Amino acid sequence: MHKLSRSNRDKVQQFVAITGASEKNALQTLKAKDWQLEAAFNVFYSQAQPRSNADVRRLEELYNRYKDPYSDMILADGISVLCSDLQLVLSWHMNAATACEFSKEEFVGGLQALGVDSIGKLQEKLSFMHSELKDEQKFHEIYNFAFGWAKEKGQKSLALDTAIGMWQLLFAEREWPLLNHWCDFLQDRHNKAISKDTWEQLLDFVRTVDPALSNYDAEGAWPYLIDEFVEYLYDKSVVEK
């Protein structure tokens, strides 16, 4: 896309992000419709897509996550959030030691493992990488990877604001109903860095304890912070004892 204007490059990226089409398909469709996004979308969705078994409802939910709050479009801010979401999974594939940094070994080795040797091929992998957050085993691996990846060098714990941001990112597709309450609790009652033990145990809590806490065992070996969170939920009448 090196010969395209900045505006047209952005349109191609938006088209790919929204439709899941390849960059080549996006470019051809947009050119055919004189770079009018709405017209290009109409053409794309009016054509048969025999290889797609995607759930339209889930796609619309995904679109709404990234679309601009004041217009029915994914604009620059939404594209930035989408890229941030995918950065974690890409970094996991590259086994990157630190957020926003790739060594040559990490970069080359990670893309080689993905079978990618160009930006176009990487873009075609975006949908696949996003879907990995829905796979239970891979989500577990990505979640554990995220702690070391996101924390500052030399630190044993994860800064609270960073941890909250990572949880919001990771659980965006997992639909944990208590997520916002957990984040509010940490800011109201904890306001300290998050240990690795708390990070790992929270995922066990999410996976094994239902949101109504009906199977929560107060005598279980949960970190004190999770026990305090449960009391917080009772105090706030979020759930009933």
Side-chain angles (χ1 to χ4, degrees):
M1 291 193 295
H2 63 284
K3 294 182 179 179
L4 300 179
S5 68
R6 175 64 180 274
S7 174
N8 287 347
R9 285 200 304 270
D10 289 345
K11 288 179 180 179
V12 171
Q13 291 175 351
Q14 290 177 40
F15 192 95
V16 169
I18 294 170
T19 65
S22 67
E23 182 181 310
K24 181 179 179 180
N25 191 347
L27 192 59
Q28 290 174 340
T29 307
L30 283 163
K31 280 184 175 180
K33 289 300 171 182
D34 198 26
W35 297 98
Q36 299 299 311
L37 268 171
E38 185 174 352
F41 286 145
N42 289 338
V43 168
F44 179 84
Y45 288 120
S46 67
Q47 294 173 342
Q49 304 295 322
R51 292 180 297 175
S52 175
N53 60 357
D55 185 326
V56 174
R57 181 183 62 82
R58 297 302 302 272
L59 289 174
E60 289 178 353
E61 290 174 356
L62 189 61
Y63 170 74
N64 288 333
R65 170 174 167 75
Y66 300 111
K67 85 176 190 70
D68 186 82
Y70 304 108
S71 66
D72 194 19
M73 292 278 289
I74 296 179
L75 302 179
D77 288 346
I79 295 294
S80 177
V81 173
L82 175 61
C83 291
S84 295
D85 285 2
L86 290 168
Q87 183 191 130
L88 171 60
V89 183
L90 178 60
S91 296
W92 171 67
H93 275 287
M94 292 183 175
N95 197 26
T98 306
C100 301
E101 292 183 10
F102 294 136
S103 69
K104 182 178 180 180
E105 181 180 2
E106 291 167 349
F107 184 82
V108 173
L111 293 185
Q112 187 175 37
L114 280 168
V116 165
D117 58 10
S118 70
I119 294 299
K121 289 182 180 179
L122 180 58
Q123 288 175 321
E124 291 174 359
K125 284 281 187 180
L126 294 183
S127 178
F128 162 74
M129 288 191 289
H130 191 276
S131 71
E132 290 185 296
L133 288 172
K134 301 180 189 298
D135 181 277
E136 191 69 25
Q137 181 58 41
K138 288 183 178 178
F139 179 82
H140 194 182
E141 294 175 12
I142 293 168
Y143 180 93
N144 287 336
F145 164 82
F147 182 87
W149 177 76
K151 70 181 178 65
E152 294 185 13
K153 290 181 180 179
Q155 298 297 313
K156 293 183 178 180
S157 299
L158 190 59
L160 180 59
D161 59 342
T162 302
I164 287 175
M166 293 303 299
W167 277 316
Q168 289 172 333
L169 166 60
L170 286 159
F171 288 118
E173 301 297 327
R174 307 300 289 188
E175 299 178 3
W176 182 40
L178 299 178
L179 175 61
N180 289 336
H181 297 296
W182 170 249
C183 295
D184 290 343
F185 159 74
L186 292 174
Q187 293 172 320
D188 292 345
R189 305 282 182 90
H190 185 61
N191 203 27
K192 296 178 183 178
I194 300 298
S195 69
K196 185 175 182 180
D197 181 58
T198 297
W199 178 268
E200 293 176 346
Q201 289 290 322
L202 180 72
L203 182 58
D204 289 338
F205 180 82
V206 171
R207 296 171 76 178
T208 60
V209 178
D210 71 69
L213 306 184
S214 62
N215 61 340
Y216 171 72
D217 181 5
E219 302 301 320
W222 298 111
Y224 81 94
L225 196 58
I226 290 180
D227 288 331
E228 287 189 355
F229 173 56
V230 170
E231 289 303 316
Y232 171 87
L233 293 175
Y234 291 145
D235 291 344
K236 294 287 186 179
S237 299
V238 176
V239 295
E240 298 181 0
K241 280 193 174 183

